[in-house]
Amino acid sequence: MLDADGARPLYLQLYDGLREMILSGALPGGMRIPSSRVLSESLGVSRFTVVTALDQLVAEGYLNSARGSGTYVETVPRRQQGKSSTSGGSDGAVLDRFEKLLSRRGKALTWRNSLTLNDGSQLLHMATPDHRLFPVDIWSRLTKEVYAQGDFRIVNYREILRPSLLEEQIARHIAVSRGIRCEPEEVVTTLGAHHAVTLLAELLLDPGDTVAFEEPGMAAIRSIFQSAGCRIEPMHVDASGPDPHTVASRDVKIAFVTAAKQQPMTIAMPMKRKLEMLHWAADRGTLIIEDDLGSEFRYLGGPIPPLKALDQAGQVIYIGAFSMTLLQSLRVGYMIMPRALADRCRRLIQVRYRALPQFTEQIVGRLIEDGHYVRHLHRMRRIYARRQNRLMHILRSDFADIFEPPEFASGFYNLCYFKDQSVDEDAVLIRCRNNNLGVEQLSYYFADRKSPRKALLVGFAASTEDEIELGMTLLRRCVAPT
């Protein structure tokens, strides 16, 4: 039945109907289709509608039009029925069937089952900046200026033989902001930190290689190494951060650390531990990957220098990103590595990814070059510091019976340990999700999803002070339901 008032054009409705009848066998192969005039009269539509539908079916091979003798249905195999409700299969059976098709790498990369969304809509989100602070006016002006330059080479793939403007500006900026001295040729731009780790896994690791990984640590990064077929050795985190001496194996090719702000424990690695880490790596010929996630936002005292700033022997590959300082959806990150490795990495990018668009690189490069980026960072730090102060005040005054007294931390969240360690952490998180709260449980970051102490990661950066007030009121109901 054709619907003249439907949103889909009549010729497509007719096409859909005839196609379905051919695939189901209702119109058998060899059957002659009535003429376009007969069909138009019987269906009450224009002849143009019928001809258009029939021509499309002929073009796709469902019909065969023989000049002078008419249009016939082609003999085509009947459509295969899927093993779903039409064949009586349960949803679980269908899922099991496709689960068996997954590779080991696919299973390792699709493990995530967190109840926290990362779309920025949740209150108290622990892993999202406030995108409302993004300098839209400046970005728009720079976009117009870059486009107005008329150099349309920037819309093509990047030339990898020389550093881009962004790589040059990162080398200058990182020397001042993080104390890392490097040449632009040692900077490689990426599509964010996760893309950087994926590149390094492809470039440096073979199945069976050993990777020392923080425990607890970032589960999404751990899964990248697991998907590469690597053996993961836990590097346990204590009061000074990840301790390399807890790694059982001596044959460690890569060690992944977050030194300036350990994720999720928010610990800043002291100088003694940093030097121990470097000596440990040098003794084993281990390469260190340092992710400097969230280090730009420290609210008490000056910035903590990264491990890379002490690296004199090219042992450390440094990963940074603009996802927490600009926009996550921009997907702009970078690595700093020995030049020989950087050259190889650029070749890999050219073959596999065609990474960061030159247009975006130009705009972010200009943002840094013109001083806008540093001013934006200073503004964000001031705002986030006020928000953390507000969160700390509420935690200490209204949650003293629920959480242990929290400490000031860098980054976007505070780690809040439950006083009652018998609390049902999963039930709390489900209630938080139902109340649009973006908190996370500490156990999520452990390899076995079991934390020795139960705690929540409560965010403040992405919420205004009023939103923090509202979020904490809701959190109180979730952790202490009546």
Side-chain angles (χ1 to χ4, degrees):
M1 181 68 69
L2 302 181
D3 181 8
D5 297 323
R8 197 161 170 80
L10 287 174
Y11 82 91
L12 287 178
Q13 294 181 43
L14 179 57
Y15 159 84
D16 289 338
L18 291 173
R19 176 178 173 274
E20 183 64 31
M21 293 174 72
I22 294 170
L23 288 173
S24 67
L27 294 179
M31 177 180 174
R32 188 177 189 276
I33 297 295
S35 68
S36 58
R37 178 176 287 117
V38 171
L39 279 175
S40 67
E41 290 174 354
S42 62
L43 295 172
V45 296
S46 71
R47 192 176 177 189
F48 175 79
T49 296
V50 174
V51 169
T52 304
L54 294 180
D55 284 348
Q56 184 64 31
L57 290 165
V58 169
E60 295 183 19
Y62 293 103
L63 299 177
N64 178 26
S65 180
R67 184 178 295 276
S69 63
T71 301
Y72 297 85
V73 177
E74 281 283 6
T75 301
V76 297
R78 294 184 65 175
R79 181 167 50 200
Q80 183 181 10
Q81 296 297 320
K83 295 181 180 180
S84 57
S85 58
T86 57
S87 58
S90 66
D91 290 342
V94 173
L95 290 174
D96 288 343
R97 172 185 166 225
F98 287 104
E99 185 74 18
K100 293 176 182 177
L101 295 175
L102 289 175
S103 65
R104 285 192 296 270
R105 182 175 185 178
K107 291 176 182 176
L109 289 172
T110 55
W111 56 271
R112 185 179 176 95
N113 192 27
S114 171
L115 292 174
T116 302
L117 298 174
N118 199 33
D119 61 3
S121 65
Q122 294 175 309
L123 298 172
L124 308 180
H125 202 293
M126 49 73 56
T128 303
D130 191 341
H131 295 310
R132 293 168 293 190
L133 301 178
F134 181 72
V136 176
D137 292 343
I138 295 173
W139 183 271
S140 299
R141 177 169 58 79
L142 291 177
T143 300
K144 292 178 182 177
E145 289 178 3
V146 169
Y147 192 79
Q149 290 172 359
D151 185 357
F152 292 103
R153 289 176 297 179
I154 63 173
V155 301
N156 296 324
Y157 292 130
R158 244 203 65 191
E159 169 58 59
I160 66 167
L161 298 180
R162 59 181 181 180
S164 66
L165 171 65
L166 179 56
E167 289 166 343
E168 292 173 351
Q169 291 304 315
I170 287 172
R172 294 191 181 109
H173 172 75
I174 209 75
V176 176
S177 66
R178 307 299 290 132
I180 299 174
R181 305 290 177 178
C182 67
E183 298 298 323
E185 289 80 7
E186 298 173 89
V187 181
V188 177
T189 52
T190 68
L191 298 172
H194 287 200
H195 178 232
V197 176
T198 301
L199 283 168
L200 293 174
E202 292 186 338
L203 189 68
L204 302 173
L205 295 169
D206 291 312
D209 284 343
T210 300
V211 173
F213 196 84
E214 296 174 323
E215 177 68 3
M218 291 188 284
I221 301 296
R222 185 192 293 115
S223 72
I224 294 173
F225 295 125
Q226 289 172 330
S227 74
C230 296
R231 188 165 65 90
I232 307 297
E233 280 278 352
M235 185 187 301
H236 294 282
V237 175
D238 60 20
S240 296
D243 183 358
H245 300 299
T246 62
V247 179
S249 175
R250 281 193 60 86
D251 184 20
V252 178
K253 191 168 186 180
I254 295 289
F256 181 90
V257 299
T258 50
K261 184 192 78 68
Q262 202 280 329
Q263 179 81 358
M265 304 302 292
T266 72
I267 296 166
M269 186 183 289
M271 180 61 67
K272 180 182 178 181
R273 177 60 57 82
K274 288 177 181 176
L275 293 175
E276 289 175 348
M277 181 75 70
L278 290 172
H279 286 303
W280 172 86
D283 183 51
R284 288 161 176 74
T286 298
L287 196 61
I288 298 172
I289 299 175
E290 178 184 18
D291 191 333
D292 208 24
L293 174 71
S295 63
E296 300 93 346
F297 299 106
R298 181 170 167 80
Y299 311 111
L300 287 177
I304 302 295
L307 194 61
K308 180 65 177 175
L310 300 173
D311 180 28
Q312 299 294 318
Q315 293 174 255
V316 181
I317 295 176
Y318 177 93
I319 294 177
F322 296 92
S323 56
M324 296 300 182
T325 55
L326 293 175
L327 291 177
Q328 289 177 317
S329 59
L330 284 179
R331 309 307 307 145
V332 181
Y334 58 94
M335 292 185 285
I336 299 172
M337 59 177 68
R339 185 165 181 172
L341 275 181
D343 289 342
R344 285 282 188 172
C345 198
R346 287 193 181 93
R347 294 185 208 173
L348 174 60
I349 290 172
Q350 188 181 41
V351 171
R352 292 274 281 125
Y353 298 101
R354 298 290 190 182
L356 198 60
Q358 290 194 78
F359 197 80
T360 304
E361 284 208 11
Q362 286 285 323
I363 300 169
V364 179
R366 282 283 308 278
L367 201 70
I368 300 173
E369 184 179 39
D370 295 351
H372 301 301
Y373 180 68
V374 169
R375 288 191 290 273
H376 173 63
L377 274 181
H378 289 333
R379 175 173 176 252
M380 292 178 77
R381 286 193 193 105
R382 290 195 300 271
I383 293 173
Y384 290 170
R386 291 197 298 269
R387 293 177 181 181
Q388 190 191 39
N389 277 321
R390 188 63 193 142
L391 175 65
M392 294 288 288
H393 174 75
I394 296 172
L395 285 170
R396 288 170 174 166
S397 61
D398 299 345
F399 286 77
D401 58 329
I402 296 174
F403 295 127
E404 295 181 9
E407 297 179 359
F408 277 96
S410 58
F412 287 177
Y413 61 87
N414 274 90
L415 188 56
C416 302
Y417 289 102
F418 284 102
K419 285 188 171 181
D420 178 9
Q421 286 291 302
S422 67
V423 66
D424 187 340
E425 200 179 31
D426 291 335
V428 168
L429 197 65
I430 290 172
R431 289 194 290 270
C432 288
R433 172 67 178 274
N434 292 336
N435 282 273
N436 195 42
L437 299 180
V439 301
E440 184 61 271
Q441 55 195 143
L442 178 59
S443 58
Y444 170 76
Y445 293 88
F446 285 82
D448 60 1
R449 300 294 187 268
K450 295 178 182 178
S451 171
R453 297 177 68 194
K454 296 179 180 178
L456 290 181
L457 282 61
V458 181
F460 56 85
S463 301
T464 66
E465 292 183 57
D466 287 342
E467 289 168 343
I468 290 171
E469 292 270 4
L470 172 59
M472 295 303 286
T473 299
L474 295 172
L475 182 62
R476 176 82 192 192
R477 298 174 190 169
C478 294
V479 297
T482 54

